[in-house]
Amino acid sequence: MQRTKIHFETLGCKLNQVESEGAARVFTDSGFSVTMDPMTAADPSDDSVAACVVNTCTVTAKAEQKARRIIRLLLSKFPSSVVIVTGCYAQLNQSDLLAMDPRIAVLGGQNKGSLADVPSLLKGNSEKSGVDLQSVLQSFFDSKRAVSKIGEITEPFRLATDTFLNHSRSSLKIQDGCNCVCTYCRIRLARGKSVSLDAAEVLSRVRSLESAGQREVVITTVNIAQYRGKWKDENGNEVFVNFAGLLEILLEKTESIGIRISSLYPEIVDEKLAELFENPRVRPHFHISVQSGSDSVLYRMKRPYKIEKVYRACSLLKKAKGNPFLACDIIAGFPGETDGDFDLTMKMLSECGFTFVHAFPFSARPGTEAFSMRPMVPNNVTDTRIKRLEEFNRKSKTAYIESFVGKTIPAVCETVHRPNVARGIMLSGNAGDVVVHAVTENFLHCQLVFPAFSKDIPKAGSEVFVRIVRPLADSERTGESDTLAVVVAASPES
């Protein structure tokens, strides 16, 4: 039986999503049929799947637990498939993953670019059983691992694409790895040392996305503060530019494509970068890697900044964009975090005007300095702090949406659901309505409702102008949607 289907499961960060999209493009170009929607226990089995790719995360113990659960589900649902496990968890725990099942092949995250070679290996061994394919793939993956330098990423930017199967907004990885020594972080161990894509290549890829009709590109990195890309100046001399230098080049040498930055480190937000952010093509949505509002906690985390840098960054971002969507990461319950430390975090969130917090309970990760730090914060105390952060989110996000009620904002349509009755959506009172999910330039996730036979239903990837109506009630939400909006007009350039 000829098996030509490939299934992807992606966990963790935006960077993993970008890399999975790049790998999926390689498979489709090689004639494989690719699916990327997450599997559920209710989905039927399929004997025609040649391979599954699980792109894993190791940021918390729960992320690894989720990966193992997904792997077991795929082994059950796709009985003839080999399951390729890659990503950060695969980089650090290869032997544990291989021990789970003989159909599992493990490709460390630092060699993830080698996924581009898998289609030819599958085609060359298409008549073999899953176990035999595992042996072929694992031998190949082991050979890549054997010649890799410890802590260095091989072919870090090989998985690139200008078409995206599972996302309407394009993304581009410009940097990978991290040279910091944050005491809680296992990602730096998994991804290795910082590497950057040459600025000329970044420009070339953004121009390609623009030519392909993409309305926006999301710039993704592990640590944007460590971007150092080669560039030839006006005299032909080779120089290295930081992110501010790269952004200046992109804004000068592209025409219309919008630029969204996936994550910022507070220490790089200075007057020059803020001035570049004033450009209307830079989206008014910023995610800042913060982790805590207490200098003593940041010191124990070995973060490369103090809290004054976060305050200054937020002030400059607001000066540049007025009322941007500001998000951040916060770790609750870091060893030694006192009630006073956490109160400083809550104070910082309020005073800086953050719209949303990605809240994580501290997870002691093997191989990190914080794994053995004491005193540990009791679980019930951490849980209480997480609930306070979630309550902050509810109030802050609602207030932010309400501040835009009645205003018209450009948005990119991401998904179209037909009909909405299958999803339990009854906003318009018509069971046949079509629901479109769109994301505004300032990151409001909007629900747009259309009659089933409307001729004006926008396509995924198109740009429209929407007027914000109100926040959605919990019972009305679908997926990430939290805002009800209506289309005012299609973008004249979409």
Side-chain angles (χ1 to χ4, degrees), residues 59 181-186 188-189 291 296-303 331-337 361-377:
V59 70
V181 290
C182 299
T183 58
Y184 59 86
C185 184
R186 206 170 186 230
R188 66 179 180 85
L189 303 176
Q291 312 309 342
S296 64
V297 174
L298 292 175
Y299 178 79
R300 292 196 298 279
M301 289 179 170
K302 292 187 177 178
R303 297 295 286 173
I331 297 174
F334 189 80
E337 182 187 58
F362 172 72
S363 180
R365 309 305 295 126
T368 67
E369 188 176 342
F371 183 78
S372 57
M373 279 187 176
R374 299 295 182 269
M376 294 290 289
V377 177

Side-chain angles (χ1 to χ4, degrees), residues 231-272:
W231 177 254
K232 287 189 176 180
D233 63 18
E234 62 275 10
N235 298 317
N237 299 317
E238 188 174 272
V239 296
F240 285 87
V241 296
N242 61 11
F243 178 68
L246 174 68
L247 181 59
E248 186 173 21
I249 290 167
L250 294 178
L251 292 172
E252 287 180 354
K253 299 183 181 296
T254 60
E255 298 294 330
S256 62
I257 191 167
I259 298 173
R260 191 182 299 270
I261 296 120
S262 66
S263 184
L264 280 173
Y265 272 54
E267 69 268 29
I268 72 166
V269 183
D270 56 15
E271 285 82 358
K272 178 182 179 180

Side-chain angles (χ1 to χ4, degrees), residues 156-167:
F157 305 106
R158 188 178 180 190
L159 299 177
T161 179
D162 57 6
T163 59
F164 296 79
L165 298 181
N166 221 36
H167 297 84

